[in-house]
Amino acid sequence: MTDVVDTEKGSIPGGSSDAASQQAFERPTGLKGLYYHPLTQTGLLGFVCFMCPGLFNSLNGLGGGGQLDNTTGANSNAAVYGTFAFFAFFGGSINNRLGSRTTLMLGTTGYALYVGSYLAINIHPGAKAFVIAAGAILGICAGLLWAAQGALMLAYPTEGEKGKYIGVFWTIFNLGGVVGASVALGQNFNSTANSVSNGTYIGFLILTCLGVLLPLAMVDPAKMIRTDGTRVTTVSHPSWKTEFIGLYVAIRTDPLILLLFPMFLASNWFYTWQLNDYNGAIFNIRARALNNLVYWISQMIGSVAIGRLLDQPKLSRRMRAFSGWLVLFVFVFLVHIWAYFYQKTYTRASFPLDSRRMDIFDSGYAGKILLYIFCGLLDAMWQTTAYWLMGAMSNNPAKLAHFAGFYKSLQSAGAAGMWRADAVKVPYMNIFASTWALLVAGLVFILPMIHLRVTDHTDAKDDVLAEKDAD
C-alpha cells in the first residue's frame, strides 16, 4: 500500500472524503513508521510551540516581559492580541489555502522579533515604540501559527486519543515555559532587582530563532495515517473566496460552536491578572522567576491529568465531557475564592516602582506560590478542555482550522482588552472580578453544548463543510 492516496480520493475543497478517511491504510514500519507516527508529529508540533509561544509565555510570565515598569509590556500585549484577534479569525482560511507547514513556519517568525524587541529596550530604554510594533507584528504571525496548530493537533489522533494528544502537545508546549523560566531563574537568582538581565533575553532569542526552522522537519499532513489506519483528510487548497465563505458555512452548519465562544473569550482573559497584577505586582524578579517556573510545570501536569479523564475508556464521551466540566467548575471557584483573600489586601498604590517587593524567603510566600500553581493547573485544564470539545465536534482538518481560528480570535480579543485595561491602570480588583465572572459564564454556556452536541462518535455529516454552499 502506498503512502500517498490519490488526490481525488484523499481530499476535496474545504471538506473531507468520507471514503478516504474511513478506508484502512497500511502504516509504514521501522524508523519511518516512528517518524510518521501521529504522536511523533504531534510532539514535533509541540516543540515548535515550545520554542516560540512557549517562550513568549515564559517571558510574559515574569510580569511586564521582565521589565521594571509593566506599562510597555501591557501595551505591547494589547497590540499582540489586537492583531491576533483579527488574523486568527481568518487564520483557518489562510491555513487551508497555504497548507499547515507553510502557515506554521510563517507564524513562528514574529516570536523572535518580539523577544528581540525586549532586548532592544533593555539596551535602549527609549525603544518602547519598537516593543509595541513588534507586538502588533507578532499578533499577525500568532494568528497563523495557532490556526495551523489547532488543525493538525485535532486531526492527527483518533476520536479515543484526542485527550492524550492534546495533553502531550500541551506538556511539550509548556516545557518551553519551564525552560524559559529556568533560564530566567538561573540568570536572576542572585538578584533582588525588579527586572531581568540582557543575558536572559539573548537566551530566549536564540531558542525562538531555532523554533522558526522546526516546521521544516515535519511530515506533509497529506501523508499521515492515524493509528487506526485511517488517513488524515487533507484540503485541496480552494480559492480564497471559497475559504472565507467557509467561515460562515462552518458556523451555519454547526451553530452550537457559538456556545463555546464565552469559553474561548475567557481563555486568555485571566492572564492579565495572573501574570501582571499578581505575579508582576507583588514579587521581586527572583520570586517572579520561581513563580513562573512552577506555573508552567503545573500546566504540564494539569493538561495530562485532564486529558486522561477526557479519554477515559470506561466512560462514554458525553460523560467524560460532563466530568471535565465538573473539574473546571471546582477549580474555577477554588482558585478565585482563594485569590480573592490575597487581592483584597493590595491595590496599584501599594507598590510604587522603587518599592521593595516580596522575596522567596519572606513570610507568607509559600501560600502565594501555591496559589500560582493552582492558577497554572486551571489554565491548562481550561485550554485542554476547550480543544477537546472542538475535537469532539469534528475530525475534519478544514473545519477544525476554522474552529481553531474562532477560538484564537476570541481568546485574543479578550486578552487585548484586558492588557489594555491593565495599561490604563484599571483597579486590580476590577480586573480580578471580571476574570472570575467570565470563567463562570463560560462554564454556564458550554453545559447545553455538551448536552446537545457531544456524542459517542462523530457522524460523517458533522465532518463535512457543506462545500456546495461555499461555491
Side-chain angles (χ1 to χ4, degrees), residues 352-441:
L353 288 180
D354 57 351
S355 65
R356 184 188 182 280
R357 305 188 189 192
M358 178 171 280
D359 189 44
I360 59 176
F361 299 112
D362 289 351
S363 174
Y365 175 71
K368 289 182 170 63
I369 192 175
L370 187 59
L371 169 63
Y372 211 52
I373 290 171
F374 274 80
C375 286
L377 290 170
L378 172 59
D379 179 15
M381 290 179 176
W382 189 273
Q383 312 277 2
T384 300
T385 303
Y387 274 116
W388 186 88
L389 288 171
M390 286 186 282
M393 298 176 77
S394 177
N395 296 319
N396 177 7
K399 193 171 188 178
L400 291 170
H402 288 309
F403 286 176
F406 298 151
Y407 174 48
K408 301 308 291 189
S409 179
L410 286 163
Q411 180 186 74
S412 302
M418 289 314 295
W419 283 113
R420 183 57 186 162
D422 193 52
V424 299
K425 312 301 183 187
V426 170
Y428 289 152
M429 184 60 82
N430 292 13
I431 291 176
F432 173 79
S434 69
T435 297
W436 192 353
L438 188 56
L439 287 168
V440 173

XYZ file of all heavy atoms in Angstrom, residues 352-441:
700
model
N 4.794 51.170 44.692
C 5.463 52.082 43.757
C 6.627 51.363 43.067
O 7.120 50.330 43.548
C 5.985 53.204 44.675
C 5.147 53.111 45.905
C 4.801 51.657 46.063
N 7.078 51.904 41.905
C 8.099 51.219 41.113
C 9.360 50.912 41.899
O 9.994 49.881 41.691
C 8.452 52.061 39.879
C 7.390 52.125 38.778
C 7.886 52.990 37.636
C 7.044 50.731 38.272
N 9.771 51.788 42.804
C 11.035 51.597 43.515
C 10.859 50.925 44.873
O 11.792 50.860 45.671
C 11.742 52.946 43.705
C 10.870 53.960 44.454
O 9.670 53.677 44.659
O 11.401 55.029 44.830
N 9.667 50.384 45.133
C 9.421 49.782 46.442
C 9.971 48.363 46.513
O 10.154 47.692 45.499
C 7.917 49.760 46.730
O 7.252 48.910 45.823
N 10.213 47.904 47.740
C 10.634 46.522 47.949
C 9.411 45.610 47.787
O 8.337 45.912 48.286
C 11.227 46.337 49.349
C 11.762 44.921 49.577
C 12.179 44.691 51.023
N 12.718 43.348 51.186
C 11.989 42.241 51.318
N 10.670 42.323 51.307
N 12.570 41.066 51.475
N 9.617 44.486 47.088
C 8.516 43.547 46.867
C 8.850 42.187 47.493
O 9.980 41.939 47.890
C 8.220 43.429 45.380
C 7.954 44.792 44.757
C 7.466 44.744 43.346
N 7.445 46.085 42.766
C 6.864 46.406 41.635
N 6.227 45.485 40.930
N 6.887 47.641 41.181
N 7.873 41.325 47.534
C 8.025 40.046 48.242
C 9.102 39.181 47.605
O 9.159 39.019 46.392
C 6.686 39.298 48.267
C 6.775 37.937 48.953
S 5.155 37.167 49.230
C 4.622 38.046 50.690
N 9.946 38.597 48.458
C 11.012 37.698 48.023
C 10.661 36.270 48.431
O 9.746 36.040 49.236
C 12.347 38.135 48.652
C 13.529 37.377 48.075
O 13.587 37.216 46.832
O 14.383 36.922 48.855
N 11.390 35.298 47.879
C 11.090 33.898 48.143
C 11.324 33.504 49.606
O 10.784 32.486 50.061
C 11.901 32.965 47.224
C 13.404 33.168 47.413
C 11.514 33.185 45.769
C 14.256 32.216 46.599
N 12.100 34.303 50.341
C 12.389 33.974 51.739
C 11.478 34.717 52.703
O 11.614 34.561 53.920
C 13.851 34.279 52.060
C 14.825 33.489 51.223
C 15.616 34.127 50.279
C 14.921 32.107 51.354
C 16.513 33.404 49.491
C 15.813 31.378 50.575
C 16.607 32.027 49.646
N 10.553 35.499 52.189
C 9.666 36.276 53.055
C 8.541 35.414 53.616
O 8.100 34.443 52.993
C 9.055 37.449 52.280
C 10.066 38.542 51.960
O 11.191 38.465 52.497
O 9.741 39.444 51.176
N 8.051 35.800 54.774
C 6.915 35.114 55.386
C 5.676 35.284 54.511
O 5.412 36.366 53.985
C 6.654 35.713 56.774
O 5.480 35.170 57.343
N 4.926 34.217 54.336
C 3.717 34.260 53.534
C 3.918 33.899 52.078
O 2.938 33.762 51.326
N 5.183 33.728 51.669
C 5.437 33.435 50.258
C 4.914 32.043 49.865
O 4.413 31.861 48.747
C 6.935 33.518 49.966
C 7.299 33.108 48.554
C 6.965 33.906 47.471
C 7.947 31.895 48.309
C 7.277 33.524 46.170
C 8.254 31.502 47.012
C 7.927 32.321 45.956
O 8.220 31.937 44.675
N 5.005 31.072 50.758
C 4.624 29.692 50.421
C 3.169 29.606 49.960
O 2.850 28.939 48.961
C 4.864 28.778 51.616
N 2.277 30.267 50.675
C 0.872 30.220 50.290
C 0.613 30.885 48.949
O -0.201 30.416 48.149
N 1.346 31.950 48.686
C 1.146 32.688 47.432
C 1.669 31.921 46.224
O 1.070 31.953 45.145
C 1.784 34.072 47.539
C 1.024 35.017 48.482
C 1.656 36.383 48.536
C 0.746 37.381 49.281
N 0.531 37.034 50.687
N 2.789 31.213 46.374
C 3.282 30.419 45.243
C 2.384 29.197 45.025
O 2.194 28.760 43.884
C 4.761 30.008 45.428
C 5.325 29.449 44.105
C 4.935 29.001 46.541
C 6.811 29.136 44.149
N 1.800 28.669 46.094
C 0.889 27.538 45.942
C -0.358 27.948 45.147
O -0.837 27.189 44.301
C 0.494 26.999 47.320
C -0.323 25.704 47.325
C 0.437 24.570 46.642
C -0.674 25.304 48.767
N -0.861 29.158 45.415
C -1.986 29.659 44.621
C -1.601 29.734 43.147
O -2.393 29.362 42.273
C -2.424 31.036 45.114
C -3.421 31.773 44.201
C -4.739 31.002 44.103
C -3.667 33.197 44.698
N -0.389 30.176 42.865
C 0.049 30.325 41.481
C 0.128 28.972 40.785
O -0.135 28.853 39.587
C 1.401 31.041 41.450
C 1.602 31.890 40.218
C 0.665 32.833 39.828
C 2.749 31.753 39.436
C 0.848 33.620 38.702
C 2.951 32.541 38.312
C 1.987 33.470 37.954
O 2.176 34.246 36.838
N 0.494 27.937 41.532
C 0.498 26.581 40.991
C -0.915 26.177 40.573
O -1.132 25.626 39.485
C 1.066 25.585 42.023
C 2.580 25.814 42.206
C 0.787 24.139 41.615
C 3.185 25.031 43.355
N -1.896 26.482 41.416
C -3.284 26.141 41.086
C -3.804 26.974 39.913
O -4.629 26.499 39.131
C -4.174 26.302 42.323
C -4.197 25.082 43.198
C -3.167 24.817 44.086
C -5.238 24.169 43.110
C -3.178 23.679 44.880
C -5.258 23.025 43.894
C -4.217 22.777 44.780
N -3.308 28.206 39.780
C -3.661 29.009 38.600
C -3.168 28.316 37.325
O -3.874 28.273 36.312
C -3.036 30.404 38.699
S -3.823 31.505 39.896
N -1.957 27.778 37.364
C -1.406 27.066 36.220
C -2.196 25.812 35.886
O -2.452 25.509 34.712
N -2.594 25.069 36.907
C -3.416 23.872 36.690
C -4.735 24.235 36.014
O -5.164 23.580 35.061
C -3.686 23.172 38.022
C -2.502 22.481 38.717
C -2.892 22.060 40.136
C -2.043 21.275 37.918
N -5.387 25.286 36.518
C -6.670 25.703 35.945
C -6.512 26.128 34.493
O -7.318 25.750 33.629
C -7.255 26.850 36.765
C -8.511 27.522 36.178
C -9.643 26.520 36.001
C -8.959 28.687 37.066
N -5.486 26.893 34.187
C -5.254 27.348 32.824
C -5.142 26.162 31.870
O -5.823 26.094 30.840
C -3.984 28.198 32.774
C -3.663 28.703 31.370
O -4.536 28.657 30.488
O -2.515 29.144 31.159
N -4.278 25.197 32.208
C -4.066 24.043 31.335
C -5.336 23.223 31.159
O -5.656 22.761 30.057
C -2.949 23.166 31.897
N -6.065 23.028 32.234
C -7.307 22.247 32.152
C -8.354 22.962 31.307
O -9.078 22.326 30.526
C -7.844 21.983 33.561
C -6.997 21.016 34.364
S -7.649 20.769 36.037
C -6.523 19.513 36.655
N -8.446 24.269 31.434
C -9.414 25.052 30.654
C -9.103 24.955 29.163
O -9.970 24.679 28.341
C -9.391 26.500 31.128
C -10.484 27.362 30.568
C -10.469 28.061 29.388
C -11.758 27.619 31.161
N -11.646 28.736 29.216
C -12.465 28.487 30.294
C -12.383 27.220 32.346
C -13.749 28.953 30.576
C -13.654 27.692 32.615
C -14.324 28.536 31.748
N -7.821 25.194 28.805
C -7.436 25.191 27.393
C -7.576 23.789 26.790
O -8.049 23.635 25.651
C -5.979 25.652 27.242
C -5.613 26.909 27.982
C -5.958 28.185 27.246
O -6.515 28.141 26.164
N -5.637 29.321 27.833
N -7.148 22.764 27.527
C -7.227 21.396 27.027
C -8.674 20.985 26.785
O -9.006 20.368 25.763
C -6.563 20.417 28.020
O -5.184 20.779 28.191
C -6.638 18.984 27.522
N -9.557 21.346 27.712
C -10.971 21.008 27.559
C -11.590 21.736 26.368
O -12.406 21.157 25.625
C -11.751 21.341 28.848
O -11.149 20.645 29.951
C -13.205 20.932 28.735
N -11.199 22.984 26.154
C -11.719 23.738 25.004
C -11.335 23.048 23.700
O -12.170 22.868 22.802
C -11.189 25.169 25.032
N -10.063 22.652 23.577
C -9.627 21.943 22.371
C -10.350 20.610 22.224
O -10.754 20.206 21.131
C -8.114 21.718 22.413
C -7.305 22.866 21.879
C -6.432 23.574 22.707
C -7.366 23.243 20.544
C -5.672 24.630 22.219
C -6.619 24.286 20.040
C -5.769 24.979 20.889
O -5.021 26.017 20.393
N -10.508 19.895 23.330
C -11.152 18.574 23.286
C -12.597 18.707 22.820
O -13.085 17.882 22.034
C -11.090 17.924 24.664
C -11.587 16.507 24.699
C -10.874 15.367 24.469
C -12.935 16.079 24.979
N -11.681 14.264 24.587
C -12.952 14.666 24.902
C -14.111 16.749 25.294
C -14.101 13.924 25.132
C -15.272 16.013 25.517
C -15.247 14.617 25.434
N -13.296 19.723 23.297
C -14.684 19.922 22.875
C -14.773 20.230 21.385
O -15.674 19.736 20.693
C -15.324 21.048 23.693
C -15.628 20.712 25.158
C -16.054 21.967 25.923
C -16.716 19.636 25.262
N -13.831 21.034 20.867
C -13.811 21.267 19.419
C -13.539 19.968 18.671
O -14.159 19.674 17.646
C -12.748 22.313 19.069
C -13.123 23.734 19.436
S -11.895 24.927 18.840
C -10.600 24.737 20.071
N -12.607 19.173 19.197
C -12.280 17.902 18.570
C -13.429 16.911 18.612
O -13.542 16.042 17.745
N -14.313 17.042 19.606
C -15.492 16.168 19.693
C -16.545 16.542 18.652
O -17.460 15.766 18.387
C -16.101 16.247 21.093
N -16.426 17.713 18.051
C -17.401 18.172 17.070
C -17.038 17.776 15.645
O -17.908 17.736 14.769
C -17.552 19.696 17.148
C -18.062 20.188 18.500
S -18.134 21.985 18.622
C -19.620 22.330 17.669
N -15.749 17.480 15.391
C -15.327 17.153 14.026
C -13.955 16.501 14.035
O -13.172 16.684 14.971
C -15.299 18.425 13.170
O -14.838 18.144 11.861
N -13.670 15.742 12.949
C -12.333 15.207 12.703
C -11.712 15.812 11.440
O -10.614 15.448 11.056
C -12.387 13.680 12.536
C -12.844 12.982 13.800
O -12.451 13.346 14.898
N -13.686 11.966 13.643
N -12.417 16.726 10.795
C -12.011 17.292 9.515
C -11.065 18.477 9.718
O -11.458 19.486 10.312
C -13.273 17.724 8.752
C -12.955 18.409 7.426
O -11.811 18.462 7.001
N -13.984 18.935 6.788
N -9.812 18.397 9.216
C -8.862 19.492 9.431
C -9.338 20.844 8.922
O -9.030 21.874 9.523
C -7.612 19.030 8.678
C -7.723 17.547 8.607
C -9.189 17.269 8.501
N -10.071 20.863 7.806
C -10.557 22.145 7.273
C -11.534 22.796 8.243
O -11.437 23.990 8.538
C -11.222 21.921 5.915
N -12.458 22.012 8.759
C -13.433 22.540 9.720
C -12.762 22.894 11.038
O -13.051 23.934 11.644
C -14.530 21.497 9.944
C -15.758 22.026 10.680
C -16.857 20.976 10.655
C -18.163 21.524 11.202
N -19.247 20.523 11.139
N -11.840 22.037 11.475
C -11.131 22.288 12.728
C -10.251 23.531 12.635
O -10.063 24.237 13.629
C -10.296 21.068 13.113
C -11.100 19.836 13.542
C -10.197 18.614 13.664
C -11.822 20.098 14.869
N -9.707 23.800 11.449
C -8.912 25.020 11.265
C -9.784 26.251 11.489
O -9.352 27.238 12.103
C -8.289 25.047 9.874
N -11.015 26.214 10.990
C -11.942 27.327 11.228
C -12.282 27.430 12.718
O -12.289 28.533 13.285
C -13.218 27.151 10.419
C -13.043 27.366 8.947
N -12.428 28.477 8.422
C -13.405 26.612 7.876
C -12.425 28.407 7.102
N -13.009 27.275 6.744
N -12.575 26.291 13.353
C -12.883 26.309 14.786
C -11.706 26.871 15.591
O -11.892 27.674 16.510
C -13.217 24.899 15.278
C -14.571 24.391 14.868
C -14.969 23.096 15.182
C -15.466 25.196 14.179
C -16.215 22.619 14.817
C -16.723 24.729 13.805
C -17.098 23.425 14.127
N -10.490 26.416 15.260
C -9.303 26.913 15.962
C -9.132 28.407 15.729
O -8.705 29.144 16.628
C -8.060 26.158 15.491
N -9.463 28.860 14.510
C -9.395 30.289 14.228
C -10.382 31.081 15.072
O -10.043 32.140 15.620
N -11.619 30.572 15.204
C -12.600 31.227 16.069
C -12.076 31.293 17.509
O -12.198 32.320 18.192
C -13.925 30.459 16.068
C -14.611 30.383 14.730
C -15.419 29.292 14.420
C -14.461 31.384 13.785
C -16.063 29.217 13.195
C -15.104 31.312 12.559
C -15.899 30.226 12.262
N -11.531 30.173 17.962
C -11.020 30.066 19.334
C -9.940 31.104 19.597
O -10.021 31.898 20.552
C -10.480 28.644 19.538
C -9.776 28.392 20.842
C -10.319 28.772 22.057
C -8.547 27.718 20.866
C -9.681 28.511 23.255
C -7.896 27.451 22.063
C -8.463 27.849 23.250
O -7.822 27.591 24.421
N -8.922 31.128 18.747
C -7.801 32.038 18.984
C -8.209 33.493 18.767
O -7.674 34.397 19.415
C -6.627 31.677 18.079
C -6.105 30.263 18.250
C -5.775 29.898 19.688
C -4.570 30.614 20.267
N -4.180 30.067 21.588
N -9.159 33.741 17.855
C -9.606 35.108 17.617
C -10.308 35.676 18.850
O -9.975 36.771 19.322
C -10.543 35.145 16.411
O -10.997 36.458 16.171
N -11.276 34.934 19.377
C -11.997 35.402 20.553
C -11.089 35.445 21.780
O -11.161 36.372 22.591
C -13.202 34.497 20.814
C -14.354 34.694 19.828
C -15.305 33.509 19.869
C -15.099 35.983 20.140
N -10.240 34.451 21.918
C -9.281 34.421 23.008
C -8.425 35.677 22.997
O -8.191 36.325 24.026
C -8.400 33.173 22.863
C -7.340 32.982 23.921
C -6.438 31.804 23.583
O -5.605 31.894 22.692
N -6.621 30.702 24.289
N -7.964 36.038 21.814
C -7.063 37.179 21.675
C -7.788 38.505 21.834
O -7.224 39.463 22.360
C -6.374 37.125 20.311
O -5.670 35.911 20.185
N -9.037 38.567 21.375
C -9.815 39.790 21.554
C -9.993 40.092 23.040
O -9.830 41.248 23.481
C -11.175 39.653 20.879
N -10.309 39.060 23.818
C -10.434 39.246 25.259
C -9.123 39.664 25.897
O -9.082 40.575 26.740
N -8.046 39.013 25.483
C -6.741 39.345 26.048
C -6.332 40.772 25.697
O -5.775 41.494 26.535
C -5.694 38.359 25.535
N -6.602 41.204 24.453
C -6.251 42.569 24.037
C -6.939 43.596 24.925
O -6.323 44.573 25.385
C -6.627 42.790 22.577
N -8.225 43.367 25.165
C -8.962 44.297 26.008
C -8.431 44.340 27.424
O -8.289 45.428 28.018
N -8.092 43.184 27.980
C -7.622 43.148 29.366
C -6.210 43.706 29.515
O -5.906 44.383 30.500
C -7.691 41.712 29.901
C -9.109 41.228 30.144
S -10.146 42.438 31.019
C -9.319 42.522 32.583
N -5.336 43.441 28.540
C -3.983 44.019 28.631
C -4.048 45.540 28.520
O -3.308 46.257 29.184
C -3.071 43.432 27.562
C -2.595 42.050 27.874
C -2.912 40.890 27.222
C -1.699 41.656 28.928
N -2.291 39.812 27.804
C -1.542 40.254 28.846
C -1.031 42.352 29.931
C -0.734 39.532 29.729
C -0.224 41.637 30.812
C -0.079 40.251 30.714
N -4.955 46.037 27.672
C -5.107 47.499 27.564
C -5.689 48.064 28.849
O -5.282 49.136 29.321
C -5.994 47.837 26.364
C -6.160 49.339 26.135
C -4.820 50.028 25.962
N -4.982 51.477 25.884
C -3.995 52.344 26.078
N -2.763 51.913 26.380
N -4.216 53.631 25.985
N -6.647 47.351 29.436
C -7.212 47.799 30.719
C -6.128 47.887 31.778
O -6.101 48.827 32.588
C -8.317 46.834 31.163
N -5.220 46.933 31.772
C -4.119 46.956 32.725
C -3.185 48.132 32.452
O -2.692 48.784 33.381
C -3.346 45.635 32.649
C -2.392 45.446 33.811
O -2.832 45.585 34.967
O -1.205 45.169 33.566
N -2.941 48.411 31.167
C -2.036 49.509 30.810
C -2.586 50.864 31.252
O -1.818 51.772 31.592
C -1.792 49.517 29.303
N -3.921 51.018 31.224
C -4.515 52.299 31.643
C -4.870 52.277 33.129
O -5.595 53.153 33.618
C -5.750 52.660 30.788
C -5.365 52.807 29.328
C -6.872 51.628 30.946
N -4.364 51.288 33.847
C -4.424 51.228 35.309
C -5.833 51.024 35.873
O -6.207 51.605 36.898
C -3.794 52.480 35.939
C -2.435 52.869 35.393
C -1.399 51.776 35.569
C -0.020 52.220 35.080
N 0.970 51.112 35.096
N -6.625 50.184 35.216
C -7.895 49.768 35.817
C -7.576 49.067 37.145
O -6.603 48.310 37.232
C -8.653 48.816 34.867
C -9.854 48.173 35.562
C -9.105 49.576 33.624
N -8.322 49.308 38.210
C -8.014 48.694 39.514
C -7.882 47.175 39.425
O -8.634 46.506 38.701
C -9.210 49.098 40.383
C -9.701 50.375 39.777
C -9.480 50.232 38.300
N -6.925 46.654 40.170
C -6.681 45.210 40.185
C -7.954 44.425 40.497
O -8.230 43.394 39.889
C -5.624 44.859 41.224
C -4.212 45.276 40.887
C -3.299 45.561 41.905
C -3.778 45.359 39.566
C -1.992 45.922 41.612
C -2.480 45.731 39.259
C -1.574 46.012 40.300
O -0.288 46.366 40.016
N -8.725 44.901 41.471
C -9.916 44.156 41.889
C -10.942 44.075 40.759
O -11.621 43.049 40.603
C -10.547 44.802 43.132
C -11.744 44.027 43.682
S -11.341 42.319 44.179
C -10.640 42.608 45.811
N -11.057 45.132 39.960
C -11.987 45.102 38.831
C -11.575 44.048 37.806
O -12.415 43.318 37.255
C -12.043 46.477 38.161
C -12.689 47.530 39.036
O -12.886 47.321 40.233
N -13.018 48.674 38.452
N -10.266 43.994 37.515
C -9.762 43.001 36.561
C -9.978 41.594 37.114
O -10.404 40.675 36.395
C -8.281 43.269 36.258
C -8.152 44.571 35.451
C -7.645 42.100 35.508
C -6.721 44.995 35.159
N -9.707 41.424 38.391
C -9.902 40.118 39.030
C -11.368 39.682 38.966
O -11.687 38.547 38.607
C -9.432 40.180 40.484
C -9.742 38.954 41.283
C -8.960 37.811 41.157
C -10.830 38.913 42.148
C -9.263 36.659 41.884
C -11.133 37.771 42.874
C -10.339 36.647 42.737
N -12.290 40.595 39.297
C -13.714 40.258 39.314
C -14.216 39.901 37.914
O -15.011 38.965 37.748
C -14.514 41.429 39.880
N -13.755 40.635 36.902
C -14.195 40.336 35.531
C -13.680 38.977 35.079
O -14.362 38.249 34.350
C -13.719 41.427 34.570
O -12.312 41.397 34.392
N -12.480 38.622 35.526
C -11.899 37.319 35.197
C -12.751 36.187 35.753
O -13.116 35.235 35.041
C -10.468 37.222 35.760
O -9.647 38.212 35.151
C -9.868 35.845 35.529
N -13.082 36.284 36.999
C -13.893 35.264 37.670
C -15.276 35.160 37.014
O -15.761 34.064 36.700
C -14.014 35.633 39.146
C -14.581 34.567 40.040
C -15.127 33.366 39.677
C -14.655 34.622 41.477
N -15.529 32.664 40.795
C -15.254 33.408 41.901
C -14.284 35.565 42.426
C -15.496 33.144 43.259
C -14.508 35.291 43.772
C -15.104 34.091 44.186
N -15.907 36.296 36.756
C -17.252 36.302 36.182
C -17.274 35.672 34.790
O -18.200 34.906 34.456
C -17.778 37.740 36.119
N -16.265 35.968 33.967
C -16.262 35.433 32.606
C -16.008 33.928 32.595
O -16.578 33.195 31.778
C -15.213 36.152 31.760
C -15.227 35.821 30.270
C -16.590 36.089 29.649
C -14.147 36.601 29.532
N -15.171 33.441 33.496
C -14.954 32.000 33.597
C -16.253 31.274 33.961
O -16.574 30.224 33.403
C -13.872 31.697 34.633
C -12.433 32.030 34.220
C -11.499 31.968 35.434
C -11.945 31.084 33.134
N -16.997 31.844 34.884
C -18.282 31.244 35.269
C -19.247 31.266 34.082
O -19.955 30.282 33.815
C -18.881 31.983 36.480
C -20.294 31.477 36.770
C -17.990 31.785 37.710
N -19.276 32.377 33.340
C -20.147 32.464 32.161
C -19.775 31.394 31.129
O -20.652 30.762 30.524
C -20.046 33.857 31.539
